[in-house]
Amino acid sequence: MSARALLNRKSRRDLRRRRAQVIAVALTVLIGIAVFLLSASMASNLSRSYDLTYERTAFADLWVTGGSDDMASTLAAVDGVELIERRTSAEVGVRFADRPIRTRIVGFGPATTLNTLVVTAGSDLDPLGDGVIVEQHTADHFGLDPGAMIDIGGLGPVEVIGIAVSPEWLWVAPSQQELVVDPDEFGIVFLPEHLAATAAPEATQLVVTVTGNDPQLAESAAARAVATGAGEVLTRATHPSNQALQGDLEGFEQLSVMFPILFLAAAGLATGVLLSRLIAQQRAEIGMLRANGYTAAAIHRHYASYGVVVALLGALPALPLGIVGGFAATQAYTDFLGVPFASQSVEPSRWIVAIVFAAAVGGMSGALAARRATAVDPATAMRPGGGAVAGRRSVFERALPGRAPTWIRMSVRNIERAPGRAVTTALGIVLALMLTMTALVLNDTIDNIFASQFTETDPRGLVVTVAPGADVAQVADAVRAVDGVSVVESHLELGASLLADGKARA
């Protein structure tokens, strides 16, 4: 039998005898790699799903509110601007159930081609008709179906003819300042333009596309709009819905790095402890191998390979789990958001990264532990008790009280006499606590964000939008007279943008 075959047989025997430890380390690697593949594939699939939805629904590049009547002509003269459409966009009161709530109404004319709707129930919007379409999140929250009646301020009762998804409202966010909103306090309805203009006269908005959806061209057009007196100007980058979705993607990408590193670091420590104990028990066998002609490099490679094998035992099964998990997570998230066009794909390059990453961690952990295998000369290693040193009381042991229990003395003595093992065990505990605390902190952070948003930052129970020309004081007095109303405050809320370094900032 060749020298290599003998070492391979020894490896299989050692791993089989320590199958419980090997399985524990492999499971840790499996979790780390599966989380990496799940998070990374989810981020890339969601990004492609958003891009596909934006492409098929002709998502605009620029939204301009306010400004002079010739703003459309001003923007048309900007290089790269391809299409400009005018529509009504405003907030009015709409009664979906027992009370009116703040609702964004958006007009659709016969020539509308941008930000098109994907109807999920009922019929499509007739630009010349009298029926309206309710955005899917709003319809789900209030339990609306085609055929229901809603009451729109300035119009009266209208029939809901359909439920639809809009690329502008995949994430329901009224503005950059309200990326999180209570669904009981905000809704979205799409109307024929002639109805929208009646409900909110002079609430005109321009939606613009540029060549190739180029962000630089959109920024140039936005800067021109602000410079010529526009009110609120949004690009894709600053659009509230898209901004929230992109923030989610960044979070998934960060998780795809952070959690796998923690799990693989724990697996690396566990691999080091496993091999350290194995090498300590096989000191005599290592001396015998050295005495029979095995080089130090060969023995070093032999023990270092243990880490690679254990890591691959966990990484290979993680590939299908991560891929399937990524598909399932993407589907669940796109269903939750109502993304109409989901994209699922497999990226083999991520498999290679995962395998190489796991093998590298296992190999380095094994190599560090394997250095001890060749640190003692063969004669000393094969001598009974070889490498032993005279016992002594450690510093910490001498600091213990004279009547300290034996189990405490033994614990303190073993910690100081095996510092490497003590350090790795402590690091493993720290990593476990980090993983636990990270999950708990993320959960608590989300809860605190919602609690802070709706109890401290924005404790409003009702928002009343006053129509242009109405008497604000009279409306405030009427609301104040309602039983249960404690505070009524009036303020002026207008969208505005600034120019900073030649760029528009909402």
Side-chain angles (χ1 to χ4, degrees), residues 53 252-253 427 461:
T53 298
F252 290 133
E253 290 171 354
L427 286 176

Side-chain angles (χ1 to χ4, degrees), residues 7-16 302 305-306:
L7 290 179
N8 289 339
R9 175 180 290 185
K10 178 179 178 301
S11 298
R12 292 192 295 271
R13 180 195 64 192
D14 291 339
L15 294 174
R16 188 165 55 249
H302 167 67
S305 67
Y306 281 59

Side-chain angles (χ1 to χ4, degrees), residues 63-66 174-177 205 226 230-234 240 494-497 506:
W63 292 256
V64 179
T65 303
S175 67
Q176 289 179 303
Q177 291 71 40
Q205 183 182 61
V226 174
E232 184 180 46
V233 178
L234 299 173
L494 295 173
S497 296

Side-chain angles (χ1 to χ4, degrees), residues 157-396:
V158 295
E159 181 183 3
V160 176
I161 62 171
I163 310 298
V165 174
S166 167
E168 297 180 87
W169 302 101
L170 297 179
W171 182 279
V172 178
S175 67
Q176 289 179 303
Q177 291 71 40
E178 292 182 279
L179 292 181
V180 179
V181 66
D182 186 346
D184 258 337
E185 301 297 335
F186 186 78
I188 304 101
V189 176
F190 308 104
L191 295 76
E193 179 59 32
H194 67 92
L195 293 181
T198 301
E202 301 182 2
T204 302
Q205 183 182 61
L206 300 178
V207 287
V208 183
T209 56
V210 298
T211 304
N213 305 120
D214 188 336
Q216 297 299 324
L217 295 177
E219 285 284 358
S220 298
R224 178 69 63 85
V226 174
T228 52
E232 184 180 46
V233 178
L234 299 173
T235 63
R236 280 195 181 190
T238 58
H239 189 279
S241 174
N242 188 49
Q243 193 175 47
L245 296 178
Q246 296 305 316
D248 268 356
L249 292 182
E250 292 176 4
F252 290 133
E253 290 171 354
Q254 292 169 0
L255 288 178
S256 71
V257 175
M258 181 181 67
F259 276 105
I261 286 178
L262 290 176
F263 275 103
L264 291 179
L269 288 174
T271 301
V273 172
L274 170 65
L275 291 182
S276 295
R277 292 179 177 177
L278 178 65
I279 291 167
Q281 293 171 358
Q282 295 184 356
R283 182 181 294 272
E285 295 178 23
I286 294 170
M288 183 189 65
L289 291 172
R290 291 287 306 280
N292 281 277
Y294 286 86
T295 64
I299 294 175
H300 189 276
R301 287 193 300 270
H302 167 67
Y303 283 102
S305 67
Y306 281 59
V308 176
V309 171
V310 173
L312 292 179
L313 286 175
L316 292 176
L319 294 180
L321 288 178
I323 294 168
V324 173
F327 285 171
T330 302
Q331 189 62 51
Y333 202 70
T334 53
D335 288 345
F336 169 73
L337 293 176
V339 178
F341 305 107
S343 173
Q344 300 274 27
S345 64
V346 174
E347 298 184 19
S349 61
R350 297 193 186 277
W351 306 354
I352 298 173
V353 171
I355 294 297
V356 171
F357 193 19
V361 170
M364 287 189 293
S365 301
L368 291 174
R371 294 178 59 186
R372 297 182 58 188
T374 56
V376 182
D377 64 273
T380 303
M382 288 187 293
R383 187 170 64 244
V389 296
R392 61 181 177 83
R393 295 178 69 196
S394 69
V395 174
F396 297 109

Side-chain angles (χ1 to χ4, degrees), residues 424-455:
T424 53
T425 301
L427 286 176
I429 294 173
V430 169
L431 288 172
L433 286 174
M434 287 177 62
L435 285 169
T436 303
M437 292 304 297
T438 299
L440 293 176
V441 167
L442 286 174
N443 184 65
D444 290 344
T445 299
I446 297 299
D447 289 341
N448 290 336
I449 286 175
F450 281 98
S452 176
Q453 172 69 21
F454 298 118
T455 61

